[in-house]
Amino acid sequence: MMATLAVLGFDGTAQTLLELALLNALMAYSGYVVVAGGSFSLAFVAFIGLGAYTAAILSLDHSIGFLPALIIAPILAALGALVLAKPLERLSGVYLALVSVAVISVFRVLLLNFDSLTGGALGKSGIRPRIGTQELIVGAVVVVALFALIYRSMVGRAMRLVRADPLVAASMGVNVRRLRLWLFVASAALGAIGGVFRAYYTGFVVPGDYGFELLITLLAMVILGGVGHWTGPLIGAALWTLLPQWLDPLGLWRDVATGGILLLIILLLPQGISGGVRTVVHKARRRFQVRGSSEEEHTIALAEAAADEAGSDMVQPGGDLVRAPAAGLDGLT
Amino acid sequence: MLLLQQIVNGLLIGAVYALFATGLSLTLGVLRIMNMAHGVTISIAAITGVEVAAHFGLPFPLLLIMGGLVGAFVGVVSETIVFGPLRRSRSHDSHSREFSTLLGSLALLTILQSLAQIYTFDYTDDQILRFPTDVFKSRIVSLGGIEVRTISLVMFAVAVVLSGLVWWVMRWTQAGRAARAVAADHEAASMLGIDVTRYAYVIIGSAGALAGVAGILIGIAFNSVDYLIGSAYLLRGFAVLILGGIGSVPGALVGGLTLGLAEGLTVHFIDSSWVDAVAFGLLFVVLVVRPQGMFGKLEVDRA
């Protein structure tokens, strides 16, 4: 019961908040993978649900525990993503977003209708033994460390370039289609892991937990933190988890305030908090001519700062819109 | 006969899907806005409709017009505080602008839906509002053995007439031509002297108005209004959009009727709990087989 209350945000102890923030961060990285690759594929929420339900079914019906579930669930999700990717790979932009909406909805209908397997509308409860702070910390550290490594790697750079401009990325030799396919699969696997953690943390699964509310929450975290840097989802998840606590006195108006804050972030801080901080740092560096630890790192940092600004349509005096995507190229070479 | 009844029921409700989807299609086709908050317009118009009908006893036709005005107002507010600023924002490139617009509409959805919830929460015990029964005295008429409620027939007629009107405006008037130019290319249109901002207001306002009218019709037909009433229509609206092709008004009408029909057949042959899955299964198949929809032109998207 305490955990249920905690998940709903009623228990304000620091430890619970830490646990929730870690759990949210784990799930948010699944969304970050696709968004950071410039894709509109929002079906990762369904894969989080798939992971959670896999964990629940394995635990309750087959007595298979947490660690095996952490291996089985992402494999299932990755296979599912591979199957789904075939029809989806031709789509982009809003079409992809629309299909994602469809995937999330169909997933919910499946959960509701195969009740012998999923428990229907009531879901499944009594997943034991529950995990606590330690497991969540280990999980989050592993995932964040992974992203920190990827960020500096070839793949990380390719991701940022594809998001800034897919055409330029393709001309630089990045196989955009294949990169997005693997990001989609990775996002699904990662989402399933997040789902396993959630199932074992709360001890239950219900269909309503893996729908649009979760999608909005996780996207808000990713955007708040900023998609341009690996710390983004962590920052976003921490702040977005604390936010309801701070807004608690507002009562019913809390959700209105939440939406308003999200709107302000989108309008005023489109690169998120990590992007905003980086812009400030890079500007300061350039002004004071402070060099990075090595010449190469400095070049990359400058190129990335340029890439952040590169996509923006620069309005020329004549009123023509000129795109300047090529500025990010130095980061790859 | 039961099958025929389900087919007719499906087609009648399909007209409302079409009405709602037409607005969704206009905003997406012309302005490239995937408006997740469009469904809430139905809820807000329906809730306002119940209040106005209860307090001022507005007759049915005026109620429809009022619903349209409320919907248009919601649209104009959305454009003013969310979509307009995002379209003009210089810190977004075209890709991140599309994404931010989607997120902005999600934020708008959260705000508007919570406001509607707060309003209905304060007002009634079960959070369900109902139109006074004398707003529209619906009867059941028998057409060759098939029973149809008169409200359903009115709903169908209003939807077809409004869709036809939108189609006519878009196809044959100067304003429609300008809107189509905006759809093809915002920058080129503005270079030709088309005031994109003004057309954005007109398009979003009209889309809101269509949803508002749909809200009143749905509210009266099912006589149960709550703050979530629009969300089911939002998802169906997207399905219709894909079925018919984005930006196509006749496509929205045919898509809406097709979806209604598919749902009717699902209820008859399978079970009503599978209705959603069939709608989205249909969507999925169309996207894979013919991504541009039944009436859409193939659009080559960058990368």
Side-chain angles (χ1 to χ4, degrees):
Chain A
M1 196 59 201
M2 282 308 288
T4 315
L5 288 175
V7 172
L8 295 171
F10 287 118
D11 188 351
T13 66
Q15 191 180 1
T16 315
L17 282 176
L18 174 69
E19 288 167 1
L20 282 176
L22 291 171
L23 181 63
N24 284 332
L26 270 171
M27 294 191 288
Y29 272 100
S30 163
Y32 170 83
V33 176
V34 277
V35 178
S39 169
F40 274 48
S41 176
L42 309 177
F44 60 88
V45 175
F47 289 108
I48 295 177
L50 183 71
Y53 267 86
T54 306
I57 292 164
L58 286 178
S59 161
L60 296 169
D61 301 343
H62 305 281
S63 317
I64 297 174
F66 178 63
L67 289 176
L70 271 184
I71 297 167
I72 297 169
I75 291 174
L76 273 181
L79 290 177
L82 276 174
V83 172
L84 207 55
K86 199 65 199 160
L88 293 194
E89 70 177 1
R90 295 194 309 177
L91 307 170
S92 64
V94 287
Y95 288 89
L96 202 49
L98 281 171
V99 183
S100 309
V101 170
V103 170
I104 296 172
S105 308
V106 170
F107 181 68
R108 196 176 140 271
V109 176
L110 293 178
L111 289 182
L112 287 173
N113 281 289
F114 285 104
D115 39 5
S116 59
L117 190 65
T118 63
L122 295 174
K124 279 172 139 20
S125 58
I127 303 161
R128 298 280 181 278
R130 300 249 292 275
I131 55 167
T133 319
Q134 290 92 337
E135 287 90 343
L136 285 168
I137 289 178
V138 171
V141 165
V142 169
V143 168
V144 174
L146 189 69
F147 277 93
L149 287 175
I150 291 174
Y151 185 80
R152 287 283 166 210
S153 74
M154 210 50 201
V155 176
R157 287 175 197 173
M159 275 167 71
R160 293 198 286 287
L161 194 55
V162 167
R163 186 171 62 89
D165 197 311
L167 285 184
V168 171
S171 73
M172 294 297 297
V174 177
N175 188 334
V176 177
R177 178 181 280 201
R178 199 198 296 165
L179 180 71
R180 283 197 173 150
L181 171 70
W182 287 115
L183 290 180
F184 183 63
V185 174
S187 154
L190 194 60
I193 291 175
V196 173
F197 271 94
R198 190 181 190 189
Y200 271 93
Y201 179 70
T202 60
F204 64 88
V205 286
V206 284
D209 277 357
Y210 301 95
F212 290 97
E213 267 175 56
L214 184 64
L215 176 66
I216 295 176
T217 310
L218 295 181
L219 281 180
M221 289 171 184
V222 171
I223 297 305
L224 173 61
V227 290
H229 197 254
W230 57 272
T231 52
L234 194 62
I235 300 171
L239 286 176
W240 202 255
T241 309
L242 289 173
L243 198 63
Q245 305 291 320
W246 295 333
L247 297 178
D248 225 24
L250 292 177
L252 279 172
W253 290 87
R254 197 176 70 180
D255 290 344
V256 180
T258 310
I261 291 169
L262 180 57
L263 198 56
L264 285 177
I265 294 162
I266 296 163
L267 287 171
L268 304 177
L269 206 64
Q271 310 283 353
I273 289 173
S274 66
V277 169
R278 265 153 40 95
T279 309
V280 172
V281 169
H282 286 310
K283 274 186 182 155
R285 267 198 193 173
R286 251 175 289 177
R287 173 166 297 175
F288 298 112
Q289 292 290 308
V290 177
R291 301 232 148 178
S293 54
S294 73
E295 189 74 20
E296 188 196 3
E297 214 167 278
H298 178 62
T299 316
I300 291 172
L302 280 184
E304 279 168 6
D308 278 348
E309 294 161 19
S312 53
D313 295 330
M314 286 179 237
V315 178
Q316 303 273 298
D320 295 358
L321 285 155
V322 177
R323 299 197 73 220
L329 291 186
D330 302 359
L332 263 185
T333 48
Chain B
M1 198 47 100
L2 200 59
L3 173 62
L4 209 56
Q5 178 76 51
Q6 290 293 1
I7 289 176
V8 171
N9 287 351
L11 288 176
L12 289 175
I13 189 70
V16 182
Y17 298 161
L19 185 60
F20 176 74
T22 303
L24 212 53
S25 180
L26 281 180
T27 38
L28 190 52
V30 177
L31 301 171
R32 312 225 155 264
I33 296 169
M34 183 174 162
N35 189 0
M36 301 296 288
H38 199 54
V40 191
T41 313
I42 286 187
S43 315
I44 292 176
I47 291 169
T48 318
V50 171
E51 292 294 338
V52 171
H55 290 298
F56 304 106
L58 224 56
F60 179 69
L62 285 182
L63 217 50
L64 283 185
I65 294 173
M66 186 227 65
L69 290 176
V70 170
F73 176 72
V74 173
V76 167
V77 169
S78 321
E79 168 67 14
T80 309
I81 65 169
V82 185
F83 302 127
L86 279 174
R87 191 176 308 114
R88 289 184 290 274
S89 162
R90 286 212 278 134
S91 51
H92 290 82
D93 59 66
S94 65
H95 168 82
S96 79
R97 180 175 295 130
E98 234 175 46
F99 196 73
S100 299
T101 307
L102 175 62
L103 287 169
S105 76
L106 282 173
L108 195 65
L109 168 72
T110 313
I111 296 172
L112 293 178
Q113 194 159 290
S114 314
L115 286 175
Q117 186 183 14
I118 290 168
Y119 184 79
T120 52
F121 190 85
D122 285 350
Y123 201 69
T124 51
D125 294 333
D126 55 0
Q127 298 199 32
I128 292 177
L129 286 72
R130 293 179 202 285
F131 276 92
T133 44
D134 57 352
V135 168
F136 188 96
K137 291 194 180 61
S138 190
R139 292 181 296 112
I140 291 173
V141 290
S142 184
L143 300 170
I146 296 161
E147 297 193 328
V148 183
R149 294 160 69 215
T150 45
I151 181 72
S152 301
L153 291 175
V154 171
M155 208 154 79
F156 188 83
V158 170
V160 171
V161 167
L162 285 180
S163 290
L165 185 69
V166 172
W167 175 79
W168 181 79
V169 170
M170 288 297 282
R171 184 79 183 77
W172 296 111
T173 66
Q174 188 63 33
R177 265 190 285 274
R180 280 184 284 142
V182 173
D185 193 325
H186 287 197
E187 280 85 42
S190 69
M191 270 182 242
L192 291 170
I194 295 169
D195 186 347
V196 174
T197 307
R198 199 176 56 147
Y199 274 95
Y201 273 109
V202 172
I203 292 288
I204 293 189
S206 319
L210 293 176
V213 172
I216 300 288
L217 288 170
I218 292 164
I220 294 176
F222 299 101
N223 204 16
S224 164
V225 174
D226 63 35
Y227 72 97
L228 285 173
I229 185 175
S231 55
Y233 290 89
L234 178 74
L235 297 178
R236 284 178 174 74
F238 284 136
V240 171
L241 208 62
I242 294 294
L243 283 177
I246 291 173
S248 163
V249 178
L253 185 59
V254 177
L257 296 178
T258 310
L259 179 62
L261 189 63
E263 290 189 353
L265 294 177
T266 311
V267 171
H268 185 77
F269 287 112
I270 311 173
D271 185 75
S272 58
S273 61
W274 282 93
V275 160
D276 282 350
V278 166
F280 290 105
L282 203 60
L283 185 159
F284 204 82
V285 170
V286 171
L287 269 175
V288 173
V289 177
R290 195 178 155 81
Q292 68 270 38
M294 292 188 288
F295 286 74
K297 286 185 215 52
L298 191 60
E299 171 189 356
V300 182
D301 212 345
R302 302 171 56 247

